[in-house]
Amino acid sequence: MGFGMVSLLDAFFRRAFTSAGLRPSSAAVDADTTIHFWAHPSLLLQPSDQQRPVVVLLHGFGPDPTWQWAAQAGPLSRHFDLLVPALLFFGASATRAPARSDAFQAAALAALLTGGHVPGLGRDGRTVHLVGANYGGLVAYHLARDLEQQQGGGVRVGKVVLCDADACWGADDDRALADRSGAADVAELLAPGDTRAVRRRWMMSAYRPFKHIPECFLRDLFRKHFADNREEKMALIKGITAREGFELTPLPQEVLIIWGEFDQIYPVEKAHKMKEKLGEKATVEVIPGTGHLPQQQDIKLFNRVLLDFLLQPSSTSNYGSAAAK
């Protein structure tokens, strides 16, 4: 039963990507690092005269990007070209380089976007919006910084969206999260080592979670989506730059901070702390009745908030909280 259900979900989420026009590809961005990604074919060809803005979707810890962004692929594809990478040590993306941090992940993606590996981006300043969930939000922040510093690299960062991504994390937060979850430490929660830990992660991520999950399903889910590269993933958790005295500072772009109202991993007050750090160009939108994964738990509202922000001309965003909509 477990094998059949996980395989069925794998196929369903991949089908959501292919139905949105996305195709798998890969690129060796340097001698040590290969990134696998999904993209619209227009990004894999030489640029044409008619170009849509690009949205880069960055996933968090968990199953493949197809699982995490399946509900957004179709709606976003009506307006944007999409590029959805698997971060290093997730899926088939890997590196022999020793660094293990969100900043290093961002540097590898910057090389992907500016090094000619995505021909459709060209070198004419094509607009790229960055959307990152959880750990992917931390990577998105660093990526926006890197691309801003690489003037003339072929892309121009438009807007940045950070979803339940706490870049103000500290040692006290580590201890509090371990206490809330019952895990020995944060690494055990985010990179589970057995089915019991996968179940704990599910209970912490969902709002009003379905509790009766068959053990056979969890066993196959762990084997297919959590077991590989666990040592490297734990090193990534330890290498999160927010733990190293990193100071979150404002970006030049408009930033939308989306948060689940009942996120048990990163409490919603952290969204407002992020807003304070990121300054006047940042806006907070709280998705009511959701937990750590609002993009999966209230798909319709999340997509509306995301598209409203991305489709509005820069510097004119002016809409109320999601709870009021």
Side-chain angles (χ1 to χ4, degrees):
M1 177 181 175
F3 175 82
M5 181 59 70
V6 173
S7 297
L8 181 63
L9 289 171
D10 280 333
F12 176 80
F13 294 134
R14 287 176 66 91
R15 179 61 177 171
F17 268 41
T18 58
S19 296
L22 297 167
R23 299 294 179 264
S25 187
S26 65
V29 299
D30 58 40
D32 295 319
T33 304
T34 298
I35 296 177
H36 288 251
F37 58 92
W38 290 79
H40 279 115
S42 57
L43 290 174
L44 304 177
L45 304 172
Q46 291 300 320
S48 63
D49 292 336
Q50 294 184 349
Q51 297 180 346
R52 300 191 300 174
V54 177
V55 170
V56 178
L57 295 173
L58 302 174
H59 65 85
F61 276 81
D64 287 353
T66 54
W67 285 56
Q68 299 190 40
W69 293 116
Q72 285 69 52
L76 286 171
S77 292
R78 301 186 189 111
H79 308 278
F80 305 98
D81 287 338
L82 300 186
L83 190 151
V84 190
L87 297 177
L88 296 173
F89 303 115
F90 295 86
S93 295
T95 184
R96 291 189 296 269
R100 301 286 183 269
S101 72
D102 39 322
F104 175 72
Q105 296 269 13
L109 291 175
L112 174 70
L113 297 176
T114 64
H117 307 290
V118 186
L121 289 177
R123 292 196 170 275
D124 58 354
R126 192 167 180 184
T127 298
V128 174
H129 304 299
L130 305 177
V131 180
N134 319 133
Y135 179 74
L138 309 184
V139 177
Y141 176 84
H142 289 290
L143 182 55
R145 287 284 188 205
D146 287 352
L147 293 176
E148 190 69 24
Q149 293 170 4
Q150 297 179 24
Q151 296 295 331
V155 298
R156 179 179 63 253
V157 180
K159 297 181 179 182
V160 179
V161 182
L162 309 176
C163 310
D164 291 73
D166 187 2
C168 301
W169 195 257
D172 290 343
D173 298 299
D174 267 350
R175 289 188 289 270
L177 177 54
D179 290 342
R180 287 196 303 275
S181 67
D185 55 33
V186 172
E188 181 184 305
L189 178 67
L190 299 183
D194 54 29
T195 57
R196 181 180 178 184
V198 173
R199 188 183 298 275
R200 179 189 293 116
R201 178 190 167 91
W202 163 250
M203 298 300 291
M204 290 294 293
S205 297
Y207 175 59
R208 295 178 178 173
F210 179 70
K211 299 180 180 180
H212 304 291
I213 305 174
E215 183 68 17
C216 59
F217 173 82
L218 293 174
R219 184 166 54 248
D220 200 47
L221 182 65
F222 171 75
R223 182 176 64 84
K224 289 187 174 182
H225 291 287
F226 289 99
D228 289 346
N229 299 320
R230 184 168 181 261
E231 182 177 339
E232 289 81 2
K233 290 174 183 175
M234 292 180 73
L236 290 175
I237 295 166
K238 294 176 182 177
I240 289 176
T241 53
R243 291 180 169 84
E244 302 173 353
F246 164 78
E247 184 65 28
L248 187 69
T249 57
L251 293 170
Q253 297 83 18
E254 292 180 61
V255 179
L256 176 61
I257 301 166
I258 305 179
W259 223 269
E261 180 184 12
F262 300 106
D263 189 339
Q264 297 184 78
I265 294 181
Y266 303 135
V268 69
E269 57 264 25
K270 300 306 287 288
H272 301 288
K273 185 175 181 180
M274 291 266 292
K275 154 67 180 166
E276 291 177 8
K277 295 283 187 179
L278 290 171
E280 61 182 15
K281 288 191 175 183
T283 303
V284 174
E285 291 285 344
V286 176
I287 307 295
T290 63
H292 186 59
L293 304 170
Q295 72 271 28
Q296 298 172 5
Q297 294 160 7
D298 192 334
I299 295 169
K300 183 177 180 180
L301 180 54
F302 180 93
N303 288 350
R304 188 174 76 203
V305 168
L306 179 61
L307 281 167
D308 281 353
F309 176 71
L310 293 178
L311 290 172
Q312 286 181 355
S314 294
S315 302
T316 61
S317 298
N318 183 25
Y319 47 92
S321 68
K325 291 189 175 183

